[in-house]
Amino acid sequence: MDIGIVGLPRSGKTTLFNAVTRGAAQTATFSSETKPNIGVAKVPDPRLQLLTDMFVSKKTVEAEVTYVDLPPAPEGLGQSRGISGEYLNHLQRADALVVVVRAFEDPSVADDGRGVDPYRDVETMLYELTFADLEILDRKLTRLAEGKKSTKAAERQTIEREEELILRLKQGLEDGTPIGGQKLSLDEARQIEGYQFLTAKPIIVVANAGEDQLDELAAMEERLASEFGSEWTLTAAVCGKLEMELAQMDAEDEKEFRESMGAGESGLARMLWLSYQALDQITFFTGSETEVRAWTVERDAPATRAAGRIHSDLERGFIRAEVVTCDNLLRCGSYAEAKKFGLLRQEGKTYQVKEGDVLTILFNV
Ligand SMILES: Nc1nc2c(ncn2[C@@H]2O[C@H](COP(=O)(O)OP(=O)(O)OP(=O)(O)O)[C@@H](O)[C@H]2O)c(=O)[nH]1
Ligand SMILES: [Mg+2]
């Protein structure tokens, strides 16, 4: 899972990136960064420790989500001049986008002269993403028109069909429906897979509030959800700077501070959970005396695909999977006991992996 973090200058992208990856990338009152920060967030999961204790395992490995914190766009993202070049490539590579908007008031951090308004900024950002896709569509239309001139009548039909689809997508976008929200046949969806449209990606809108706005978070979340929430747009409000400071403490101190400030669930856990939701991912486990490990895969993925997440050999040479739910395994205390109670199942290639499954893949290459 690769998640791109975007937003207007000084909205708190790097601050949130640091919070979720427990990183220490440079944040700044004046934008100076030009390279993206790439970091990995380890997904906390209490089941991992329980499994590690049960297996008396030497090693525990959490599931990971990669975040890419993008510097402000060189052309001035948010000023309707579009997104292009390397910046666009970075965005296109992400599986989902976090759109950060500034809600915190702080006179030492300059705004763009229009005052702080997170809702206006969400609209600006969504407009920018739409604008970038419209540009991609226009470029494609130009290329198709050129192609039509130099092809024979028989091939022209294929081009015209593609042209039709692109025009329909464009109309939809202009009417305010992101490409991810437009109805497409399977065939059409496959046809546009390669284009990497930004509005086809799930979006997580995060309002970055100040620590003095803790008691406004709930109201902010409500307004964000009602104005922008949809099947493909998730919304949240967090205190980025506070979360970053908390993420840099050790677990005990963090817990104490969180309680004393009434800061609730960790913003880090929240961001990760939203990332899972946006990409419809589930967690499964592998376990032995050498290593207990959590993995992610799309919901309803077949066992072969889950095997492939572990290693391509396991997907290629897949024979079958031994499956037990994490809860059942922990209750039984060992594979042998789980087997005795008939809780260890043998599953084939098409078995749809469930949240919390513990898998042993049998394979032969
Ligand atoms: N008071 C306050 N300041 C914040 C908060 N979040 C971020 N800041 C400050 O705002 C400034 C910009 O934060 P960054 O995280 O660097 O923002 P950014 O979006 O990465 O900025 P660019 O990469 O330059 O576009 C820094 O000085 C932060 O300390 C917050 O919640 N409260
Ligand atoms: Mg930054």
Side-chain angles (χ1 to χ4, degrees):
M1 265 193 271
D2 276 21
I3 315 262
I5 304 180
V6 295
L8 300 176
R10 291 179 303 279
S11 48
K13 299 178 291 294
T14 306
T15 304
L16 269 170
F17 169 84
N18 282 341
V20 74
T21 61
R22 294 187 191 275
Q26 185 75 37
T27 61
T29 318
F30 292 100
S31 303
S32 56
E33 286 302 315
T34 52
K35 280 209 179 60
N37 295 306
I38 300 175
V40 167
K42 309 243 176 236
V43 182
D45 191 327
R47 293 172 294 184
L48 269 176
Q49 192 53 52
L50 297 173
L51 286 172
T52 303
D53 293 345
M54 192 205 86
F55 281 108
V56 200
S57 184
K58 290 192 196 72
K59 199 169 153 202
T60 314
V61 186
E62 292 108 330
E64 293 181 344
V65 183
T66 304
Y67 288 87
V68 182
D69 163 33
L70 289 156
E75 295 87 4
L77 182 66
Q79 287 160 37
S80 314
R81 264 181 267 162
I83 318 172
S84 58
E86 199 190 343
Y87 193 81
L88 180 60
N89 290 341
H90 273 299
L91 286 180
Q92 288 186 314
R93 237 174 280 142
D95 300 313
L97 299 175
V98 171
V99 170
V100 182
V101 291
R102 173 175 178 176
F104 67 92
E105 298 274 358
D106 184 339
S108 72
V109 182
D111 59 46
D112 61 1
R114 297 186 299 164
V116 173
D117 181 348
Y119 310 100
R120 174 202 63 207
D121 290 351
V122 176
E123 261 172 43
T124 306
M125 285 302 301
L126 295 180
Y127 177 74
E128 289 295 326
L129 299 177
T130 302
F131 195 73
D133 279 355
L134 285 172
E135 279 192 312
I136 298 174
L137 289 169
D138 279 337
R139 277 200 294 270
K140 186 70 196 171
L141 280 175
T142 314
R143 244 180 320 193
L144 287 175
E146 278 165 12
K148 216 160 54 170
K149 277 188 246 154
S150 57
T151 42
K152 296 187 205 70
E155 286 160 38
R156 205 168 295 156
Q157 223 178 0
T158 326
I159 298 186
E160 275 163 5
R161 235 180 327 196
E162 192 167 356
E163 225 168 19
E164 234 166 81
L165 171 62
I166 303 275
L167 283 170
R168 184 147 54 84
L169 291 173
K170 195 176 163 192
Q171 187 61 53
L173 259 186
E174 282 167 348
D175 294 343
T177 314
I179 288 175
Q182 297 189 24
K183 295 258 173 304
L184 296 176
S185 69
L186 259 178
D187 219 31
E188 290 170 335
R190 215 167 296 135
Q191 224 173 319
I192 64 161
E193 227 168 32
Y195 292 156
Q196 302 277 20
F197 293 115
L198 300 184
T199 67
K201 298 178 194 294
I203 286 177
I204 307 167
V205 169
V206 179
N208 177 25
E211 50 269 55
D212 51 344
Q213 291 169 302
L214 266 178
D215 50 2
E216 294 166 44
L217 287 186
M220 244 183 242
E221 296 215 323
E222 211 164 292
R223 181 162 168 201
L224 286 170
S226 79
E227 281 187 32
F228 306 106
S230 71
E231 213 180 308
W232 55 89
T233 313
L234 305 176
T235 55
V238 300
C239 291
K241 201 171 170 193
L242 176 66
E243 291 294 343
M244 179 177 112
E245 283 158 10
L246 289 169
Q248 280 152 6
M249 292 179 180
D250 62 48
E252 271 303 301
D253 288 349
E254 179 184 344
K255 191 157 166 269
E256 212 167 285
F257 263 91
R258 215 170 264 291
E259 277 163 13
S260 72
M261 298 209 52
E265 183 200 10
S266 134
L268 182 156
R270 185 78 199 290
M271 285 274 288
L272 285 169
W273 168 233
L274 286 169
S275 307
Y276 265 62
Q277 260 183 304
L279 292 169
D280 210 13
Q281 300 275 310
I282 57 164
T283 302
F284 68 94
F285 301 96
T286 52
S288 70
E289 294 76 33
T290 31
E291 183 184 277
V292 166
R293 183 160 179 168
W295 307 84
T296 62
V297 71
E298 306 89 72
R299 185 180 309 282
D300 297 333
T304 43
R305 169 124 184 95
R309 298 281 295 138
I310 304 168
H311 197 285
S312 56
D313 282 352
L314 270 61
E315 181 165 9
R316 206 153 40 88
F318 186 96
I319 299 171
R320 62 176 199 276
E322 289 187 341
V323 185
V324 55
T325 69
C326 180
D327 287 350
N328 279 339
L329 182 58
L330 288 170
R331 226 171 279 139
C332 292
S334 71
Y335 269 124
E337 281 294 294
K339 198 167 185 178
K340 211 163 76 190
F341 286 101
L343 296 169
L344 191 67
R345 289 170 282 125
Q346 307 294 322
E347 301 282 3
K349 287 182 176 173
T350 56
Y351 168 71
Q352 292 183 333
V353 178
K354 308 281 180 305
E355 165 64 42
D357 276 349
V358 185
L359 300 186
T360 309
I361 310 290
L362 291 105
F363 71 109
N364 183 18
V365 281

